[in-house]
Amino acid sequence: MEWWSPSLNVDQEFAKLVNRMHPPRVTVDNITDKKATLIKVDSANKRGSLLEVVQVLTDMNILIKRAYISSDGEWFMDVFHVTDQYGNKLAGDNVADRIQQSLGPRGCSFRSLRGSVGVQSAMQHTTIELTGRDRPGLLSEVFAVLSNLKCNVVSAEIWTHNSRIASIVYIIDNETRLAIDDSERLAKIKQLLLFILKGDRDKRGAQTTVSPGATHTQRRLHQLMYADRDYDLDGFDYDHDHDHYHDRSKLSRNMKPFVTVENCSEKGYTVVNLRCPDRPKLLFDTVCTLTDMQYVVYHATIIAEELDASQEFYIRHTDGCPISSEAERQRVINCLEAAIKRRIPEGVRLDLSGEDRVGFLSDVTRIFRENGLSITRAELTTIGSKAKDTFYVMDSSGDQVKTKTIEAVQNALGESVVTLKEENISTTTNSKANSQHTVRFSLSNLFRSRSEKFLYNLGLISSCSEVV
């Protein structure tokens, strides 16, 4: 006989009933607007509906030019004016099916956060979550440990903001090419990564947690950063390694977002207005933040047709109350500013491709570290047997990257292809006419001795000969 608990199942059964009575309806209109496709979404209202729809559009690389949102009551009604990533109307019609799926009775759920190092096992890979204090060379240490433990990184995404770092790394066992599910091995991975993250200088300390279930990478990165309170720092960090203060934000090429938060006493809402330069995924970032802060969006107007974006939200806390204090109001402002800025990369972009192998990322990030470069953001993927990685790097002191530093990095590597965007490279000579050029080099002649010495100094191996 199947066990049933009213306290656990009534809400789920009611949600299924409502969806059967009022199934989600999504229409795609390519006629009304001359420049954009209209996507209209009607559904029974439930918490998180807006985030689910915006997440689907974001995952499909659809740009939201205008949006009108209303979910006050039992019904959820949205109208999105969208284009593809090239500014054209949408050609396919699978977007309607994907949105309807996301609004089904099961919907999406996002787990709470408690720690700063997590390892979870999925069918195809094992997921490692990292948060902590950022410092020069941190990722070099992380990838060196994974390489030493015979873990192959198949993909990863790393964000840094306000001297904090959040990363989600997907790994497999190098021999079996499968997810790692051995509990002792997972415990060792967590222990060593925690040792690296915590060190003796992270005032907040690092903790470990095992998180079950699947994860949406960028959604999870927002959660990790928010839980780590990256919004609560002022952008300055004392660098113990170099014995001075430096401002990591001084190279930011983006204007500070303008955010206001005011109460609308007549209607019992809090009104959030936001203006900043437009960019892809902006609405996703702001809606993620409001959701994580336990606010419900009842109405919203989004305009992003020019270089600037304007967003207006009418919100209440999940208990139905508007913002009630100056401290809470300021916290919303800080969190929205952080959500917008944490995705914006700083520094020079390096696109790197090479033959995938254990230790590939360890070698690359070690060379960055040896040449005084810090990684501010990274997107790492594996396609077939090739590693396709994008790094944003800056000088560890916070200054612009010098041309001679990039040349030194290139000389240290041998025959793969790197595309270098060098608009932020500091040089004493005249700047080159082209903002991009392609440099060929190879990773085949890298020496392992420094990596071995590094692991030995960390105490992770007892002798250099243990590194195979």
Side-chain angles (χ1 to χ4, degrees):
M1 183 176 70
E2 184 179 357
W3 181 81
W4 183 83
S5 170
S7 61
L8 295 177
N9 291 281
V10 168
D11 289 343
Q12 294 179 2
E13 292 301 319
F14 180 74
K16 293 177 182 178
L17 175 62
V18 170
N19 274 277
R20 286 196 296 268
M21 295 172 60
H22 306 287
R25 184 167 62 93
V26 182
T27 60
V28 179
D29 176 5
N30 261 324
I31 299 174
T32 302
D33 192 313
K34 294 181 179 180
K35 297 182 179 180
T37 298
L38 268 63
I39 298 177
K40 302 176 183 179
V41 183
D42 296 319
S43 171
N45 191 20
K46 66 175 182 178
R47 184 182 170 194
S49 293
L50 176 60
L51 177 57
E52 290 168 10
V53 174
V54 172
Q55 181 171 299
V56 169
L57 297 176
T58 301
D59 289 345
M60 296 181 73
N61 292 319
I62 293 174
L63 304 182
I64 300 171
K65 298 300 183 181
R66 282 179 178 262
Y68 305 96
I69 293 145
S70 179
S71 61
D72 203 346
E74 300 301 320
W75 203 250
F76 172 80
M77 295 176 287
D78 289 353
V79 178
F80 297 91
H81 296 239
V82 304
T83 68
D84 64 18
Q85 56 186 321
Y86 305 107
N88 303 316
K89 290 186 178 184
L90 304 186
D93 56 2
N94 61 332
V95 61
D97 293 335
R98 289 188 60 174
I99 292 175
Q100 285 180 172
Q101 277 187 335
S102 75
L103 294 174
R106 298 180 69 175
C108 298
S109 61
F110 302 102
R111 57 191 180 275
S112 61
L113 301 177
R114 293 183 180 178
S116 59
V117 180
V119 177
Q120 69 180 44
S121 181
M123 291 182 64
Q124 297 180 339
H125 54 249
T126 299
T127 303
I128 300 174
E129 297 176 351
L130 308 171
T131 59
R133 173 186 175 271
D134 187 27
R135 66 177 186 273
L138 175 61
L139 288 175
S140 174
E141 299 171 18
V142 168
F143 290 131
V145 168
L146 293 176
S147 175
N148 182 53
L149 296 175
K150 302 297 185 285
C151 301
N152 192 34
V153 178
V154 294
S155 65
E157 188 155 354
I158 298 104
W159 290 359
T160 65
H161 178 245
N162 274 343
S163 299
R164 308 302 293 179
I165 185 171
S167 175
I168 297 179
V169 183
Y170 301 98
I171 65 171
I172 58 175
D173 179 82
N174 186 53
E175 293 183 1
T176 66
R177 313 302 290 179
L178 298 174
I180 299 170
D181 55 11
D182 179 77
S183 59
E184 291 186 3
R185 189 175 178 189
L186 291 177
K188 185 175 183 180
I189 292 172
K190 290 197 297 182
Q191 179 185 19
L192 295 182
L193 292 179
L194 179 62
F195 174 81
I196 290 173
L197 282 172
K198 189 174 182 179
D200 58 358
R201 293 168 181 156
D202 193 341
K203 295 179 180 179
R204 301 178 188 179
Q207 300 177 5
T208 61
T209 183
V210 177
S211 303
T215 185
H216 181 280
T217 302
Q218 296 184 358
R219 175 75 184 94
R220 186 63 171 159
L221 284 168
H222 274 299
Q223 290 181 313
L224 290 169
M225 279 292 199
Y226 174 73
D228 198 42
R229 299 176 64 89
D230 71 313
Y231 59 86
D232 203 25
L233 299 175
D234 59 10
F236 287 87
D237 187 34
Y238 186 73
D239 188 335
H240 296 266
D241 296 326
H242 297 88
D243 201 30
H244 67 270
Y245 284 90
H246 66 268
D247 182 5
R248 286 286 303 272
S249 65
K250 68 183 180 182
L251 286 183
S252 176
R253 293 166 287 158
N254 301 276
M255 297 175 59
K256 182 179 180 179
F258 179 73
V259 183
T260 62
V261 178
E262 299 176 351
N263 279 341
C264 178
S265 55
E266 308 86 49
K267 300 293 184 180
Y269 295 114
T270 294
V271 184
V272 177
N273 275 286
L274 182 153
R275 294 184 67 89
C276 67
D278 188 31
R279 61 166 173 79
K281 304 183 181 182
L282 179 62
L283 182 59
F284 174 76
D285 295 341
T286 54
V287 172
C288 279
T289 298
L290 292 173
T291 302
D292 288 340
M293 297 185 74
Q294 306 298 309
Y295 292 108
V296 178
V297 176
Y298 288 87
H299 303 278
T301 301
I302 312 299
I303 301 174
E305 293 181 327
E306 302 296 337
L307 296 178
D308 290 335
S310 172
Q311 299 181 3
E312 183 178 64
F313 300 98
Y314 286 76
I315 66 172
R316 294 187 186 123
H317 201 269
T318 51
D319 61 8
C321 298
I323 290 176
S324 58
S325 69
E326 174 60 25
E328 185 182 4
R329 187 187 74 85
Q330 189 59 50
R331 185 165 171 262
V332 171
I333 293 174
N334 293 344
C335 287
L336 286 172
E337 289 180 352
I340 294 168
K341 295 174 68 176
R342 66 171 65 119
R343 187 191 288 275
I344 300 172
E346 293 181 339
V348 177
R349 173 172 170 167
L350 299 175
D351 292 326
L352 183 149
S353 64
E355 201 67 28
D356 183 39
R357 60 175 173 81
V358 171
F360 180 88
L361 290 171
S362 174
D363 291 334
V364 170
T365 53
R366 171 178 56 80
I367 289 172
F368 289 167
R369 179 180 186 175
E370 290 172 351
N371 286 275
L373 296 179
S374 289
I375 298 169
T376 63
R377 188 177 173 192
E379 296 180 20
L380 316 175
T381 58
T382 303
I383 302 175
S385 62
K386 293 288 186 180
K388 304 284 187 179
D389 304 331
T390 296
F391 294 94
Y392 288 86
V393 298
M394 62 189 299
D395 190 274
S396 297
S397 66
D399 296 326
Q400 288 185 330
V401 178
K402 295 179 173 59
T403 301
K404 65 179 182 180
T405 302
I406 296 298
E407 291 173 349
V409 169
Q410 294 166 356
N411 290 334
L413 301 170
E415 274 168 28
S416 291
V417 178
V418 168
T419 302
L420 169 65
K421 291 187 176 180
E422 55 178 0
E423 61 268 21
N424 284 339
I425 299 178
S426 174
T427 177
T428 56
T429 61
N430 293 332
S431 57
K432 298 181 180 180
N434 296 326
S435 62
Q436 299 184 25
H437 69 277
T438 299
V439 182
R440 296 184 177 272
F441 61 90
S442 170
L443 295 167
S444 58
N445 296 321
L446 292 174
F447 295 103
R448 300 182 59 85
S449 58
R450 293 189 182 183
S451 291
E452 294 169 358
K453 183 178 179 181
F454 156 71
L455 291 171
Y456 176 75
N457 289 338
L458 272 181
L460 303 181
I461 59 174
S462 58
S463 69
C464 293
S465 61
E466 288 186 32
V467 180
V468 180

